[in-house]
Amino acid sequence: MNNPRLQLRPGHLSLSDLRKANREPVSVSLNRETWQRIRACRQVVDDVIANGDVAYGINTGFGRLAQTTIDIGNLAKLQENLLLSHAAGVGQPMQDRVIRLAMLLKLNSLARGYSGVSCEVVELLAGMLNNRIYPVVPGKGSVGASGDLAPLAHLSLPLIGLGHVRVDDRIQDSVTALQQVGLQPISLRAKDGLSLLNGTQISTALALSALFDAEMNADAAFIAGSMTVEATLGSRSPFDAGISEIRGLHGQIEAARIFRLILDVSELGHSHQACDRVQDPYSLRCQPQVMGACLDQLRHAAGILEIESNAVSDNPLVFPDRKVILSGGNFHAESVAMVSDNIALAVAEMAALSERRLALLIDSHLSQLPPFLVADAGLNSGFMIAQVTAAALASENKSLAHPACVDSLPTSANQEDHVSMATFAARRLFDMNENSSYIIGIELLAAAQGLDFRRPLRSSDTIESAHATIRSVVPTWDRDRLMHSDIEAAFRLIKDGAFDSSVSHYIDAR
């Protein structure tokens, strides 16, 4: 497989590494020192078994059954039973990009040498990732504490020759897929199954993938918002550096700078310097404040998720230097849940602001453009119902943005009496990002239409480039036609990152 190669330094995955794995298949390799740490940690587990000591999950039951000691002859069966019983997920399978990230995160965690797994587990998991063998994992069934148990069980089934995998978009049984690339299922040893199932890797992978989608939406929103300023002959003064600097919020300062760079100088900007408009509506004037707040939330989330991507989050944990095995709660994904909730707020607000700008564009009293952005309005309805679609999606996002982390239902007979709901917190972001991409895409179409009505005056180079990108897939709306196709085309531009290069290099520390 000609995948981009990644020398895995456990505990040192960067956001750049994670973006790459989200975008495309990767191949990982581990150095000699890493394998030595894995073996040293495994030796502690083997010593516990040989000495007849009792350690949770190694020779005991799980959850509320932790007080039950398991005979040494059943330790391997205990781990197999764990995978089988915990593979209780339901719903549609997760996307390959999420599973690829989750596999990378699980490898990164196990390879740090605190989980006590067998080398064979790490070898096979890496072999599957390198050969693009992605387990089929149902999307629902985790509460985000005692780890992502159900989805990680499904992810781990192929290691023992069970479950299904996806290879090149085809679903196969795991044994066949492994054999086709020269791999074989393994037999789990003590603690192997528990180390695979415990952890926040699914929640974190979902949140990371959604974060990267949110960043693309932010890039498109900066372009759309700038285009709308130009199309409506909006003022540039709200983007003045001094206004944001005396407030002091980093995100706002950065957002104002991005808008200044995109808007730059233009014929359109000069055309209305002597107009009598005193102030623009908030959806134009307060863009640095709103988009800046969103940037701050996304940046905070990125930092937390980068740390969590490098975390050891299973239980119990093995400390080879101290030769002790300790039970804790690193599997509790509260941090992932909270930042997922924060991402949800940012995604909802970026789209809500975009919908308001769209409403402004189609309102001829505010925009000084033809009603609903179409000639011969009345015979033609133009963007009238496209704005209704955007409003419906923005409203849906408001409901989805309700925080998930404040909800908790006890599980495992009240042994696990507070949970994070991180998996849902991150999973709902995909629907929200999709809604937002459609909303921003509709605004891009409307703003491009507005610029067409301002011809022959031209905008800045960046905006004219974005306008040309839109017009390469959607012609000017000169009379009513099938709107759905245009919306889908604009949506695809955003999802394909067509506006990323115009904005991302302006954004600090991405």
Side-chain angles (χ1 to χ4, degrees):
M1 294 284 179
N2 294 319
N3 304 334
R5 297 202 62 80
L6 176 62
Q7 177 70 47
L8 187 60
R9 295 172 55 234
H12 293 87
L13 280 176
S14 66
L15 285 170
S16 176
D17 295 330
L18 296 165
R19 286 192 179 92
K20 181 183 296 184
N22 181 68
R23 187 173 57 248
E24 60 186 343
V26 294
S27 291
V28 299
S29 58
L30 284 70
N31 62 27
R32 181 183 304 172
E33 291 77 12
T34 298
W35 287 113
Q36 289 173 344
R37 285 197 300 272
I38 295 170
R39 292 188 185 95
C41 188
R42 179 67 208 183
Q43 188 60 53
V44 176
V45 174
D46 291 341
D47 290 345
V48 165
I49 298 169
N51 295 335
D53 299 331
V54 176
Y56 170 72
I58 296 175
N59 48 19
T60 74
F62 307 102
R64 193 58 181 266
L65 301 174
Q67 306 305 318
T68 303
T69 303
I70 307 300
D71 181 82
I72 191 171
N74 287 318
L75 296 186
K77 186 63 175 177
L78 174 69
Q79 300 301 308
E80 181 181 336
N81 286 349
L82 181 67
L83 263 63
L84 295 172
S85 64
H86 285 48
V90 297
Q92 293 299 309
M94 297 184 199
Q95 300 177 52
D96 282 354
R97 60 173 171 151
V98 173
I99 299 305
R100 184 166 58 239
L101 273 171
M103 295 171 75
L104 177 61
L105 299 185
K106 177 56 77 174
L107 273 170
N108 190 41
S109 178
L110 297 178
R112 285 193 61 185
Y114 294 98
S115 299
V117 292
S118 308
C119 288
E120 293 81 3
V121 170
V122 178
E123 288 172 347
L124 183 53
L125 190 59
M128 290 171 59
L129 180 62
N130 293 348
N131 285 282
R132 307 182 190 182
I133 300 174
Y134 304 131
V136 175
V137 180
K140 300 180 181 181
S142 173
V143 296
S146 201
D148 294 316
L149 294 172
L152 284 173
H154 284 278
L155 186 144
S156 303
L157 284 176
L159 276 72
I160 61 172
L162 299 175
H164 291 83
V165 296
R166 192 157 42 217
V167 182
D168 296 330
D169 294 325
R170 293 183 296 109
I171 293 179
Q172 299 177 258
D173 71 273
S174 59
V175 173
T176 299
L178 291 173
Q179 289 177 343
Q180 286 173 345
V181 295
L183 299 175
Q184 294 291 333
I186 61 173
S187 297
L188 298 179
R189 296 165 60 191
K191 199 178 183 299
D192 285 348
L194 186 58
S195 296
L196 287 165
L197 267 59
N198 244 202
T200 64
Q201 286 80 30
I202 293 291
S203 296
T204 305
L206 286 165
L208 281 167
S209 195
L211 169 69
F212 301 148
D213 285 351
E215 290 175 341
M216 286 198 297
N217 278 334
D219 292 344
F222 275 114
I223 293 293
S226 299
M227 289 179 70
T228 297
V229 168
E230 288 284 73
T232 59
L233 304 181
S235 172
R236 282 168 158 75
S237 66
F239 311 109
D240 185 274
I243 293 175
S244 294
E245 285 171 359
I246 64 172
R247 193 178 196 188
L249 292 170
H250 178 76
Q252 179 180 328
I253 292 170
E254 186 177 359
R257 180 177 61 84
I258 292 168
F259 281 114
R260 290 195 304 274
L261 290 168
I262 295 172
L263 289 165
D264 199 13
V265 294
S266 72
E267 293 176 349
L268 273 169
H270 287 301
S271 71
H272 58 94
Q273 286 182 331
C275 71
D276 58 0
R277 188 189 302 175
V278 178
Q279 292 186 136
D280 291 327
Y282 287 0
S283 60
L284 297 184
R285 191 184 352 149
C286 297
Q287 288 189 85
Q289 289 76 15
V290 178
M291 287 298 293
C294 293
L295 286 182
D296 281 338
Q297 293 304 316
L298 295 181
R299 181 172 289 108
H300 171 68
I304 295 295
L305 293 174
E306 184 176 33
I307 292 170
E308 189 67 17
S309 297
N310 288 291
V312 182
S313 56
D314 55 297
N315 185 63
L317 297 173
V318 182
F319 293 84
D321 294 344
R322 297 158 59 187
K323 298 194 183 307
V324 295
I325 298 176
L326 302 177
S327 287
N330 280 1
F331 50 71
H332 200 296
E334 190 79 3
S335 294
V336 178
M338 283 190 175
V339 296
S340 294
D341 285 343
N342 291 344
I343 295 171
L345 297 177
V347 170
E349 282 297 87
M350 286 190 294
L353 196 66
S354 175
E355 186 278 326
R356 287 294 80 205
R357 293 192 301 263
L358 172 61
L360 187 157
L361 280 163
I362 66 173
D363 186 336
S364 59
H365 298 292
L366 292 173
S367 68
Q368 302 172 23
L369 291 165
F372 302 105
L373 300 171
V374 67
D376 202 5
L379 175 62
N380 295 299
S381 295
F383 282 76
M384 180 188 296
I385 304 304
Q387 187 267 330
V388 173
T389 296
L393 297 176
S395 181
E396 184 175 307
N397 272 358
K398 293 176 186 178
S399 295
L400 288 170
H402 184 279
C405 71
V406 297
D407 187 24
S408 179
L409 285 173
T411 60
S412 193
N414 284 310
Q415 174 76 5
E416 298 156 6
D417 57 352
H418 182 276
V419 298
S420 71
M421 297 298 176
T423 320
F424 168 69
R427 179 165 50 80
R428 54 78 195 264
L429 295 174
F430 289 84
D431 286 341
M432 294 185 68
N433 272 315
E434 181 176 275
N435 290 342
S436 296
S437 295
Y438 277 119
I439 294 167
I440 297 166
I442 294 170
E443 185 195 359
L444 286 167
L445 294 174
Q449 185 76 3
L451 291 176
D452 289 341
F453 280 115
R454 300 294 184 192
R455 296 304 191 208
L457 296 177
R458 309 284 291 180
S459 186
S460 69
D461 289 345
T462 300
I463 290 177
E464 289 296 336
S465 176
H467 180 272
T469 297
I470 295 166
R471 286 289 171 254
S472 71
V473 294
V474 176
T476 299
W477 188 279
D478 54 358
R479 61 183 180 276
D480 281 354
R481 60 174 184 261
L482 182 62
M483 177 65 79
H484 170 80
S485 301
D486 289 2
I487 294 173
E488 290 294 332
F491 171 83
R492 183 46 52 197
L493 285 176
I494 294 174
K495 301 304 285 184
D496 289 344
F499 306 104
D500 294 1
S501 60
S502 299
V503 179
S504 59
H505 64 284
Y506 295 150
I507 296 180
D508 295 339
R510 178 180 290 181

